[in-house]
Amino acid sequence: MALDPSVIGTEVPEARMLVERGRLRLFCKAIGETDPVYLDVDAARAAGHPDLPVPPTFLCSIQNERPDPLDWLPAIGVDPLRVLHGEQSCVYHAVAHARDELTVRGRLTDLTVKKNGHLELLTRESVVTDGEGNTVAELRDTVVVRHPEVVR
Amino acid sequence: MSLPLEAGDELTPLRVDPISRTALALFAGGSGDHNPVHIDSDAARAAGMDDVFAHGMLSMAYLGRLLTRQVPQERIRSLRVRFTAVTPVHASPVCTGRVVSVGEHDGELRASVELTVRLSDGTTTLVGDASIAVDRPAER
């Protein structure tokens, strides 16, 4: 069933993360990052960072710091199993570091129907802020909602 | 640090080893994306896939590495991607970047870098771009 355009403007529950060094090292291990600046606090400080820097795309992970990070989809009538990640953009204002407490707040900002209703593109825009309320990054992600039941 | 990126410059390609199931499990933990279609082949089949497949954000993280090993992270102004195909388990992504232009934005000089991730069979899995703050010629 097609989404109601009134979902635009819906706020997604905020998520928070106290960034831990161990979690950053696990992320780096997973992505094959071996640069000591991202793994070793002394190397990070020697490079001018106050602590381990948060890799650029790790900021998107803050959105997952909730018991069910996809619960905003069923809340608007979307089955998470029908969703694919279509686009992701990150605009950076500052580099975050381990021990920062980051918060992400987002809302749905666009709904576009494609292929006569077989696909809908749902866009969420979010802002990541640090403990002082400064903007760290602006995130924008688009999910593709598949509607295989729609007959052309 | 001097950063003389110019139009036409190619970033050194980043070739990733075949993505193992272990890598997908580690990325699930590291990223907090626990969607079982990436780590549990039973769940992947139930969702209509042949097997588990990589998180799109894992490939985007490789593009992040492509950038941060050549430019200091604080120079990255933006990173944007479109996911164009699924990355199967055991695939070997290659990340490439090419500077398409250098111009003035918000009072600084920025290089616009076109990015792609391709698999060895030629499938393009991600396309995107990054904006990198570069030094003015006089500062080099």
Side-chain angles (χ1 to χ4, degrees), chain B residues 106-136:
Chain B
D106 295 335
E108 64 183 5
L109 206 54
R110 293 183 188 172
S112 177
V113 184
E114 192 179 78
L115 301 167
T116 61
V117 182
R118 280 197 192 86
L119 306 182
S120 45
D121 67 359
T123 305
T124 299
T125 54
L126 272 75
V127 293
D129 60 74
S131 176
I132 311 286
V134 298
D135 294 331
R136 293 178 190 284

PDB file of all heavy atoms in Angstrom, chain B residues 106-136:
ATOM      1  N   ASP B 106      31.853  28.358  -0.038  1.00  0.00           N
ATOM      2  CA  ASP B 106      31.812  28.827   1.354  1.00  0.00           C
ATOM      3  C   ASP B 106      33.170  29.369   1.818  1.00  0.00           C
ATOM      4  O   ASP B 106      33.611  29.089   2.939  1.00  0.00           O
ATOM      5  CB  ASP B 106      31.365  27.698   2.297  1.00  0.00           C
ATOM      6  CG  ASP B 106      29.927  27.269   2.022  1.00  0.00           C
ATOM      7  OD1 ASP B 106      29.151  28.093   1.497  1.00  0.00           O
ATOM      8  OD2 ASP B 106      29.588  26.113   2.319  1.00  0.00           O
ATOM      9  N   GLY B 107      33.833  30.120   0.951  1.00  0.00           N
ATOM     10  CA  GLY B 107      35.064  30.801   1.347  1.00  0.00           C
ATOM     11  C   GLY B 107      36.304  29.939   1.377  1.00  0.00           C
ATOM     12  O   GLY B 107      37.324  30.347   1.940  1.00  0.00           O
ATOM     13  N   GLU B 108      36.234  28.740   0.839  1.00  0.00           N
ATOM     14  CA  GLU B 108      37.446  27.925   0.759  1.00  0.00           C
ATOM     15  C   GLU B 108      37.481  27.187  -0.578  1.00  0.00           C
ATOM     16  O   GLU B 108      36.467  27.102  -1.283  1.00  0.00           O
ATOM     17  CB  GLU B 108      37.542  26.940   1.935  1.00  0.00           C
ATOM     18  CG  GLU B 108      36.443  25.914   1.966  1.00  0.00           C
ATOM     19  CD  GLU B 108      36.551  24.995   3.195  1.00  0.00           C
ATOM     20  OE1 GLU B 108      37.412  25.212   4.056  1.00  0.00           O
ATOM     21  OE2 GLU B 108      35.749  24.050   3.264  1.00  0.00           O
ATOM     22  N   LEU B 109      38.665  26.672  -0.890  1.00  0.00           N
ATOM     23  CA  LEU B 109      38.839  25.937  -2.139  1.00  0.00           C
ATOM     24  C   LEU B 109      38.553  24.465  -1.865  1.00  0.00           C
ATOM     25  O   LEU B 109      39.106  23.889  -0.916  1.00  0.00           O
ATOM     26  CB  LEU B 109      40.280  26.134  -2.618  1.00  0.00           C
ATOM     27  CG  LEU B 109      40.568  26.014  -4.118  1.00  0.00           C
ATOM     28  CD1 LEU B 109      39.678  26.938  -4.943  1.00  0.00           C
ATOM     29  CD2 LEU B 109      42.038  26.290  -4.384  1.00  0.00           C
ATOM     30  N   ARG B 110      37.680  23.890  -2.678  1.00  0.00           N
ATOM     31  CA  ARG B 110      37.324  22.482  -2.446  1.00  0.00           C
ATOM     32  C   ARG B 110      37.448  21.682  -3.736  1.00  0.00           C
ATOM     33  O   ARG B 110      37.081  22.162  -4.808  1.00  0.00           O
ATOM     34  CB  ARG B 110      35.887  22.360  -1.930  1.00  0.00           C
ATOM     35  CG  ARG B 110      35.708  22.949  -0.548  1.00  0.00           C
ATOM     36  CD  ARG B 110      34.304  22.748  -0.048  1.00  0.00           C
ATOM     37  NE  ARG B 110      34.105  23.482   1.200  1.00  0.00           N
ATOM     38  CZ  ARG B 110      32.945  23.628   1.797  1.00  0.00           C
ATOM     39  NH1 ARG B 110      31.852  23.076   1.275  1.00  0.00           N
ATOM     40  NH2 ARG B 110      32.847  24.304   2.924  1.00  0.00           N
ATOM     41  N   ALA B 111      37.947  20.453  -3.563  1.00  0.00           N
ATOM     42  CA  ALA B 111      38.005  19.517  -4.682  1.00  0.00           C
ATOM     43  C   ALA B 111      36.754  18.653  -4.636  1.00  0.00           C
ATOM     44  O   ALA B 111      36.352  18.177  -3.569  1.00  0.00           O
ATOM     45  CB  ALA B 111      39.247  18.638  -4.569  1.00  0.00           C
ATOM     46  N   SER B 112      36.140  18.482  -5.798  1.00  0.00           N
ATOM     47  CA  SER B 112      34.994  17.589  -5.910  1.00  0.00           C
ATOM     48  C   SER B 112      35.506  16.261  -6.471  1.00  0.00           C
ATOM     49  O   SER B 112      36.093  16.218  -7.551  1.00  0.00           O
ATOM     50  CB  SER B 112      33.963  18.213  -6.836  1.00  0.00           C
ATOM     51  OG  SER B 112      32.888  17.330  -7.008  1.00  0.00           O
ATOM     52  N   VAL B 113      35.331  15.194  -5.715  1.00  0.00           N
ATOM     53  CA  VAL B 113      35.888  13.888  -6.076  1.00  0.00           C
ATOM     54  C   VAL B 113      34.741  12.935  -6.404  1.00  0.00           C
ATOM     55  O   VAL B 113      33.824  12.745  -5.598  1.00  0.00           O
ATOM     56  CB  VAL B 113      36.721  13.306  -4.909  1.00  0.00           C
ATOM     57  CG1 VAL B 113      37.375  11.991  -5.317  1.00  0.00           C
ATOM     58  CG2 VAL B 113      37.771  14.305  -4.443  1.00  0.00           C
ATOM     59  N   GLU B 114      34.821  12.346  -7.608  1.00  0.00           N
ATOM     60  CA  GLU B 114      33.826  11.369  -8.035  1.00  0.00           C
ATOM     61  C   GLU B 114      34.274  10.007  -7.523  1.00  0.00           C
ATOM     62  O   GLU B 114      35.436   9.645  -7.679  1.00  0.00           O
ATOM     63  CB  GLU B 114      33.834  11.395  -9.558  1.00  0.00           C
ATOM     64  CG  GLU B 114      32.754  10.706 -10.288  1.00  0.00           C
ATOM     65  CD  GLU B 114      32.966  10.900 -11.790  1.00  0.00           C
ATOM     66  OE1 GLU B 114      33.827  10.207 -12.365  1.00  0.00           O
ATOM     67  OE2 GLU B 114      32.305  11.781 -12.356  1.00  0.00           O
ATOM     68  N   LEU B 115      33.357   9.266  -6.910  1.00  0.00           N
ATOM     69  CA  LEU B 115      33.714   7.996  -6.267  1.00  0.00           C
ATOM     70  C   LEU B 115      32.922   6.836  -6.858  1.00  0.00           C
ATOM     71  O   LEU B 115      31.747   6.998  -7.201  1.00  0.00           O
ATOM     72  CB  LEU B 115      33.391   8.074  -4.769  1.00  0.00           C
ATOM     73  CG  LEU B 115      34.092   9.175  -3.976  1.00  0.00           C
ATOM     74  CD1 LEU B 115      33.442   9.339  -2.613  1.00  0.00           C
ATOM     75  CD2 LEU B 115      35.572   8.862  -3.830  1.00  0.00           C
ATOM     76  N   THR B 116      33.570   5.673  -6.955  1.00  0.00           N
ATOM     77  CA  THR B 116      32.839   4.463  -7.344  1.00  0.00           C
ATOM     78  C   THR B 116      33.375   3.280  -6.554  1.00  0.00           C
ATOM     79  O   THR B 116      34.544   3.264  -6.143  1.00  0.00           O
ATOM     80  CB  THR B 116      32.995   4.104  -8.845  1.00  0.00           C
ATOM     81  OG1 THR B 116      34.373   3.864  -9.118  1.00  0.00           O
ATOM     82  CG2 THR B 116      32.469   5.181  -9.757  1.00  0.00           C
ATOM     83  N   VAL B 117      32.513   2.300  -6.349  1.00  0.00           N
ATOM     84  CA  VAL B 117      32.932   0.999  -5.839  1.00  0.00           C
ATOM     85  C   VAL B 117      32.474  -0.032  -6.864  1.00  0.00           C
ATOM     86  O   VAL B 117      31.300  -0.046  -7.247  1.00  0.00           O
ATOM     87  CB  VAL B 117      32.315   0.683  -4.460  1.00  0.00           C
ATOM     88  CG1 VAL B 117      32.826  -0.658  -3.955  1.00  0.00           C
ATOM     89  CG2 VAL B 117      32.625   1.791  -3.459  1.00  0.00           C
ATOM     90  N   ARG B 118      33.422  -0.850  -7.326  1.00  0.00           N
ATOM     91  CA  ARG B 118      33.104  -1.885  -8.317  1.00  0.00           C
ATOM     92  C   ARG B 118      33.577  -3.236  -7.814  1.00  0.00           C
ATOM     93  O   ARG B 118      34.579  -3.326  -7.113  1.00  0.00           O
ATOM     94  CB  ARG B 118      33.811  -1.603  -9.655  1.00  0.00           C
ATOM     95  CG  ARG B 118      33.112  -0.570 -10.505  1.00  0.00           C
ATOM     96  CD  ARG B 118      33.579  -0.604 -11.955  1.00  0.00           C
ATOM     97  NE  ARG B 118      33.083   0.579 -12.642  1.00  0.00           N
ATOM     98  CZ  ARG B 118      33.706   1.757 -12.659  1.00  0.00           C
ATOM     99  NH1 ARG B 118      34.873   1.885 -12.066  1.00  0.00           N
ATOM    100  NH2 ARG B 118      33.173   2.784 -13.278  1.00  0.00           N
ATOM    101  N   LEU B 119      32.867  -4.277  -8.226  1.00  0.00           N
ATOM    102  CA  LEU B 119      33.283  -5.646  -7.907  1.00  0.00           C
ATOM    103  C   LEU B 119      34.087  -6.199  -9.072  1.00  0.00           C
ATOM    104  O   LEU B 119      34.071  -5.631 -10.176  1.00  0.00           O
ATOM    105  CB  LEU B 119      32.049  -6.519  -7.637  1.00  0.00           C
ATOM    106  CG  LEU B 119      31.087  -5.969  -6.576  1.00  0.00           C
ATOM    107  CD1 LEU B 119      29.930  -6.943  -6.352  1.00  0.00           C
ATOM    108  CD2 LEU B 119      31.813  -5.686  -5.266  1.00  0.00           C
ATOM    109  N   SER B 120      34.784  -7.326  -8.847  1.00  0.00           N
ATOM    110  CA  SER B 120      35.669  -7.860  -9.885  1.00  0.00           C
ATOM    111  C   SER B 120      34.899  -8.296 -11.133  1.00  0.00           C
ATOM    112  O   SER B 120      35.461  -8.348 -12.227  1.00  0.00           O
ATOM    113  CB  SER B 120      36.512  -9.007  -9.338  1.00  0.00           C
ATOM    114  OG  SER B 120      35.710  -9.873  -8.581  1.00  0.00           O
ATOM    115  N   ASP B 121      33.582  -8.587 -11.001  1.00  0.00           N
ATOM    116  CA  ASP B 121      32.805  -8.957 -12.194  1.00  0.00           C
ATOM    117  C   ASP B 121      32.310  -7.733 -12.951  1.00  0.00           C
ATOM    118  O   ASP B 121      31.550  -7.861 -13.918  1.00  0.00           O
ATOM    119  CB  ASP B 121      31.633  -9.858 -11.807  1.00  0.00           C
ATOM    120  CG  ASP B 121      30.572  -9.136 -10.972  1.00  0.00           C
ATOM    121  OD1 ASP B 121      30.748  -7.927 -10.679  1.00  0.00           O
ATOM    122  OD2 ASP B 121      29.568  -9.773 -10.613  1.00  0.00           O
ATOM    123  N   GLY B 122      32.718  -6.540 -12.504  1.00  0.00           N
ATOM    124  CA  GLY B 122      32.348  -5.320 -13.215  1.00  0.00           C
ATOM    125  C   GLY B 122      31.120  -4.614 -12.663  1.00  0.00           C
ATOM    126  O   GLY B 122      30.819  -3.484 -13.056  1.00  0.00           O
ATOM    127  N   THR B 123      30.424  -5.258 -11.727  1.00  0.00           N
ATOM    128  CA  THR B 123      29.227  -4.628 -11.145  1.00  0.00           C
ATOM    129  C   THR B 123      29.614  -3.373 -10.364  1.00  0.00           C
ATOM    130  O   THR B 123      30.505  -3.422  -9.512  1.00  0.00           O
ATOM    131  CB  THR B 123      28.523  -5.608 -10.175  1.00  0.00           C
ATOM    132  OG1 THR B 123      28.257  -6.816 -10.868  1.00  0.00           O
ATOM    133  CG2 THR B 123      27.235  -5.016  -9.626  1.00  0.00           C
ATOM    134  N   THR B 124      28.953  -2.274 -10.647  1.00  0.00           N
ATOM    135  CA  THR B 124      29.139  -1.059  -9.856  1.00  0.00           C
ATOM    136  C   THR B 124      28.147  -1.098  -8.702  1.00  0.00           C
ATOM    137  O   THR B 124      26.934  -1.185  -8.922  1.00  0.00           O
ATOM    138  CB  THR B 124      28.906   0.189 -10.716  1.00  0.00           C
ATOM    139  OG1 THR B 124      29.861   0.194 -11.770  1.00  0.00           O
ATOM    140  CG2 THR B 124      29.064   1.463  -9.889  1.00  0.00           C
ATOM    141  N   THR B 125      28.662  -1.058  -7.477  1.00  0.00           N
ATOM    142  CA  THR B 125      27.790  -1.186  -6.309  1.00  0.00           C
ATOM    143  C   THR B 125      27.485   0.148  -5.637  1.00  0.00           C
ATOM    144  O   THR B 125      26.448   0.296  -5.008  1.00  0.00           O
ATOM    145  CB  THR B 125      28.427  -2.136  -5.274  1.00  0.00           C
ATOM    146  OG1 THR B 125      29.746  -1.670  -4.978  1.00  0.00           O
ATOM    147  CG2 THR B 125      28.488  -3.557  -5.817  1.00  0.00           C
ATOM    148  N   LEU B 126      28.397   1.109  -5.761  1.00  0.00           N
ATOM    149  CA  LEU B 126      28.168   2.435  -5.197  1.00  0.00           C
ATOM    150  C   LEU B 126      28.713   3.480  -6.161  1.00  0.00           C
ATOM    151  O   LEU B 126      29.783   3.272  -6.754  1.00  0.00           O
ATOM    152  CB  LEU B 126      28.924   2.637  -3.868  1.00  0.00           C
ATOM    153  CG  LEU B 126      28.264   2.220  -2.552  1.00  0.00           C
ATOM    154  CD1 LEU B 126      28.297   0.718  -2.420  1.00  0.00           C
ATOM    155  CD2 LEU B 126      28.988   2.856  -1.381  1.00  0.00           C
ATOM    156  N   VAL B 127      27.989   4.573  -6.284  1.00  0.00           N
ATOM    157  CA  VAL B 127      28.534   5.749  -6.963  1.00  0.00           C
ATOM    158  C   VAL B 127      28.300   6.929  -6.026  1.00  0.00           C
ATOM    159  O   VAL B 127      27.324   6.939  -5.268  1.00  0.00           O
ATOM    160  CB  VAL B 127      27.869   6.021  -8.334  1.00  0.00           C
ATOM    161  CG1 VAL B 127      28.206   4.921  -9.327  1.00  0.00           C
ATOM    162  CG2 VAL B 127      26.369   6.180  -8.198  1.00  0.00           C
ATOM    163  N   GLY B 128      29.207   7.881  -6.066  1.00  0.00           N
ATOM    164  CA  GLY B 128      29.019   9.002  -5.163  1.00  0.00           C
ATOM    165  C   GLY B 128      30.046  10.080  -5.384  1.00  0.00           C
ATOM    166  O   GLY B 128      30.729  10.109  -6.419  1.00  0.00           O
ATOM    167  N   ASP B 129      30.135  10.967  -4.419  1.00  0.00           N
ATOM    168  CA  ASP B 129      31.116  12.042  -4.517  1.00  0.00           C
ATOM    169  C   ASP B 129      31.490  12.530  -3.128  1.00  0.00           C
ATOM    170  O   ASP B 129      30.766  12.289  -2.161  1.00  0.00           O
ATOM    171  CB  ASP B 129      30.585  13.201  -5.370  1.00  0.00           C
ATOM    172  CG  ASP B 129      29.321  13.803  -4.813  1.00  0.00           C
ATOM    173  OD1 ASP B 129      29.399  14.517  -3.804  1.00  0.00           O
ATOM    174  OD2 ASP B 129      28.238  13.532  -5.378  1.00  0.00           O
ATOM    175  N   ALA B 130      32.642  13.168  -3.089  1.00  0.00           N
ATOM    176  CA  ALA B 130      33.102  13.773  -1.840  1.00  0.00           C
ATOM    177  C   ALA B 130      33.590  15.173  -2.142  1.00  0.00           C
ATOM    178  O   ALA B 130      34.014  15.464  -3.262  1.00  0.00           O
ATOM    179  CB  ALA B 130      34.247  12.949  -1.234  1.00  0.00           C
ATOM    180  N   SER B 131      33.504  16.023  -1.132  1.00  0.00           N
ATOM    181  CA  SER B 131      34.038  17.379  -1.242  1.00  0.00           C
ATOM    182  C   SER B 131      35.157  17.502  -0.212  1.00  0.00           C
ATOM    183  O   SER B 131      34.964  17.183   0.966  1.00  0.00           O
ATOM    184  CB  SER B 131      32.922  18.384  -0.970  1.00  0.00           C
ATOM    185  OG  SER B 131      33.439  19.696  -0.989  1.00  0.00           O
ATOM    186  N   ILE B 132      36.345  17.928  -0.689  1.00  0.00           N
ATOM    187  CA  ILE B 132      37.546  17.970   0.159  1.00  0.00           C
ATOM    188  C   ILE B 132      38.113  19.392   0.132  1.00  0.00           C
ATOM    189  O   ILE B 132      38.336  19.948  -0.953  1.00  0.00           O
ATOM    190  CB  ILE B 132      38.643  17.027  -0.402  1.00  0.00           C
ATOM    191  CG1 ILE B 132      38.085  15.634  -0.704  1.00  0.00           C
ATOM    192  CG2 ILE B 132      39.856  16.990   0.525  1.00  0.00           C
ATOM    193  CD1 ILE B 132      37.799  14.791   0.482  1.00  0.00           C
ATOM    194  N   ALA B 133      38.358  19.958   1.306  1.00  0.00           N
ATOM    195  CA  ALA B 133      38.990  21.284   1.363  1.00  0.00           C
ATOM    196  C   ALA B 133      40.467  21.145   0.983  1.00  0.00           C
ATOM    197  O   ALA B 133      41.178  20.311   1.549  1.00  0.00           O
ATOM    198  CB  ALA B 133      38.855  21.865   2.763  1.00  0.00           C
ATOM    199  N   VAL B 134      40.917  21.943   0.011  1.00  0.00           N
ATOM    200  CA  VAL B 134      42.315  21.877  -0.436  1.00  0.00           C
ATOM    201  C   VAL B 134      42.984  23.232  -0.222  1.00  0.00           C
ATOM    202  O   VAL B 134      42.319  24.247  -0.009  1.00  0.00           O
ATOM    203  CB  VAL B 134      42.425  21.446  -1.926  1.00  0.00           C
ATOM    204  CG1 VAL B 134      41.851  20.052  -2.118  1.00  0.00           C
ATOM    205  CG2 VAL B 134      41.730  22.437  -2.843  1.00  0.00           C
ATOM    206  N   ASP B 135      44.319  23.224  -0.269  1.00  0.00           N
ATOM    207  CA  ASP B 135      45.068  24.465  -0.087  1.00  0.00           C
ATOM    208  C   ASP B 135      44.974  25.326  -1.343  1.00  0.00           C
ATOM    209  O   ASP B 135      44.887  24.810  -2.456  1.00  0.00           O
ATOM    210  CB  ASP B 135      46.543  24.146   0.179  1.00  0.00           C
ATOM    211  CG  ASP B 135      46.733  23.430   1.503  1.00  0.00           C
ATOM    212  OD1 ASP B 135      45.920  23.655   2.417  1.00  0.00           O
ATOM    213  OD2 ASP B 135      47.689  22.639   1.604  1.00  0.00           O
ATOM    214  N   ARG B 136      45.029  26.638  -1.143  1.00  0.00           N
ATOM    215  CA  ARG B 136      45.107  27.542  -2.289  1.00  0.00           C
ATOM    216  C   ARG B 136      46.527  27.455  -2.845  1.00  0.00           C
ATOM    217  O   ARG B 136      47.463  27.196  -2.089  1.00  0.00           O
ATOM    218  CB  ARG B 136      44.804  28.978  -1.855  1.00  0.00           C
ATOM    219  CG  ARG B 136      43.370  29.143  -1.406  1.00  0.00           C
ATOM    220  CD  ARG B 136      43.087  30.551  -0.929  1.00  0.00           C
ATOM    221  NE  ARG B 136      41.778  30.602  -0.293  1.00  0.00           N
ATOM    222  CZ  ARG B 136      40.624  30.600  -0.939  1.00  0.00           C
ATOM    223  NH1 ARG B 136      40.622  30.604  -2.268  1.00  0.00           N
ATOM    224  NH2 ARG B 136      39.474  30.616  -0.299  1.00  0.00           N
TER     225      ARG B 136
END
